[in-house]
Amino acid sequence: DSDIIYSTIKTRFHLLQINNYCAPVPVLRAEHCRDKRKENPMKICDLHCHSNCSDGTLTPEELIDKAMSLGIGALALTDHNTFSGLERFRKYAEGKLPVLLGCEFTTEINDKEFHLVGFFSDTKGSEEIQRSIAGQRERKEKSNHDLIDRLIAGGYDLSWEEFCADVAGIPSVNRVQIADYLLKKGIIPTAKEGFRTLLSPENGFYVEARKLDFFDMIRQIREAGGVSVLAHPLLNTGKE
């Protein structure tokens, strides 16, 4: 996208420079945003947001309202492995807030997980990406089903049908929603504890689904007219 001038890593933030916009991820608190805008004419942006179309809590429309209330200058929606909220997001933002359309893809290199964000001016030409993430969602649904089946076999009072009813309408379901389900059933005290114990791959219940290929997704994003950005550059990169 010609609007994206460069990307870099600075301190703990991944920055994108978009014309006169400066975008730290994650977004700063409201009071910090206001203070920074007094010091610097550049506008604060958030280019990594999730809605309730994946593991966020707000609708795409509510995200825009929230961003405007915080004085955010531009916003991107980057739900996990789904484009389902993008058209709603784009339409609601018209005349209100500059936005980028995006998606956070769960990819891997040599069995190591990397999250890759694709930014797009529109979703035209994204048919191959849509097929790729549809296949990923099918694999993820089987992984989710197998996880709950293993927990049931381990003596936990759960039901796949009950879980599906809880997450009906969420296009991209992952362990976050399963953690919420376990909390609701009183099986874990907190989501953090759930991820440390029952939902950890080390404990035998959760087997990860095969992920998208990192380099192939970069190719697909580029061919769809998008720009690829490593989502968490300081989280899981090392010398290897």
Side-chain angles (χ1 to χ4, degrees):
D1 189 301
S2 60
D3 286 339
I4 298 186
I5 301 170
Y6 68 87
S7 63
T8 186
I9 298 171
K10 182 178 180 182
T11 63
R12 296 183 60 194
F13 297 120
H14 191 208
L15 301 184
L16 288 182
Q17 180 90 16
I18 302 183
N19 292 342
N20 198 37
Y21 291 92
C22 176
V25 180
V27 69
L28 303 177
R29 294 186 178 183
E31 60 271 18
H32 196 171
C33 292
R34 295 189 187 100
D35 290 344
K36 286 296 180 184
R37 292 186 70 178
K38 291 176 184 175
E39 299 167 8
N40 191 327
M42 299 182 77
K43 297 179 181 179
I44 299 289
C45 309
D46 189 345
L47 300 185
H48 191 141
C49 289
H50 297 175
S51 75
N52 64 357
C53 292
S54 61
D55 59 355
T57 57
L58 302 179
T59 67
E61 295 84 359
E62 288 169 341
L63 275 175
I64 291 167
D65 289 339
K66 185 69 172 178
M68 293 177 66
S69 75
L70 294 175
I72 301 299
L75 194 68
L77 180 61
T78 57
D79 276 316
H80 286 286
N81 304 306
T82 182
F83 283 20
S84 61
L86 293 182
E87 186 59 20
R88 292 168 54 191
F89 181 73
R90 182 191 65 77
K91 284 185 176 180
Y92 191 77
E94 286 180 355
K96 299 176 181 177
L97 187 70
V99 297
L100 273 176
L101 308 182
C103 183
E104 183 175 6
F105 303 98
T106 306
T107 71
E108 61 185 357
I109 306 173
N110 298 328
D111 297 323
K112 185 174 180 61
E113 182 173 312
F114 289 89
H115 289 192
L116 182 69
V117 173
F119 291 113
F120 309 89
S121 58
D122 58 52
T123 56
K124 295 175 183 177
S126 65
E127 292 82 5
E128 185 180 8
I129 294 176
Q130 302 270 18
R131 289 193 296 271
S132 293
I133 59 180
Q136 169 68 4
R137 281 198 301 273
E138 288 177 6
R139 295 190 295 273
K140 187 62 181 174
E141 181 176 4
K142 184 179 185 305
S143 172
N144 291 339
H145 199 164
D146 290 347
L147 169 57
I148 288 181
D149 282 349
R150 291 188 186 99
L151 289 168
I152 292 170
Y156 295 97
D157 181 21
L158 302 170
S159 161
W160 174 249
E161 291 73 22
E162 182 180 49
F163 172 70
C164 288
D166 280 359
V167 299
I170 301 176
S172 182
V173 177
N174 54 40
R175 282 180 294 165
V176 170
Q177 286 81 20
I178 295 178
D180 289 341
Y181 178 50
L182 297 181
L183 276 168
K184 172 185 170 182
K185 300 289 285 187
I187 291 171
I188 56 174
T190 64
K192 182 177 180 180
E193 182 66 10
F195 276 93
R196 192 186 68 81
T197 56
L198 296 180
L199 301 181
S200 168
E202 284 74 31
N203 283 291
F205 295 110
Y206 173 62
V207 177
E208 296 181 82
R210 179 171 59 85
K211 301 174 183 66
L212 300 166
D213 180 79
F214 180 83
F215 296 106
D216 189 55
M217 287 312 302
I218 291 176
R219 175 192 63 78
Q220 291 186 40
I221 291 166
R222 182 178 65 248
E223 291 181 359
V227 172
S228 303
V229 177
L230 187 61
H232 313 291
L234 303 184
L235 179 63
N236 54 2
T237 52
K239 292 182 179 180
E240 68 276 13

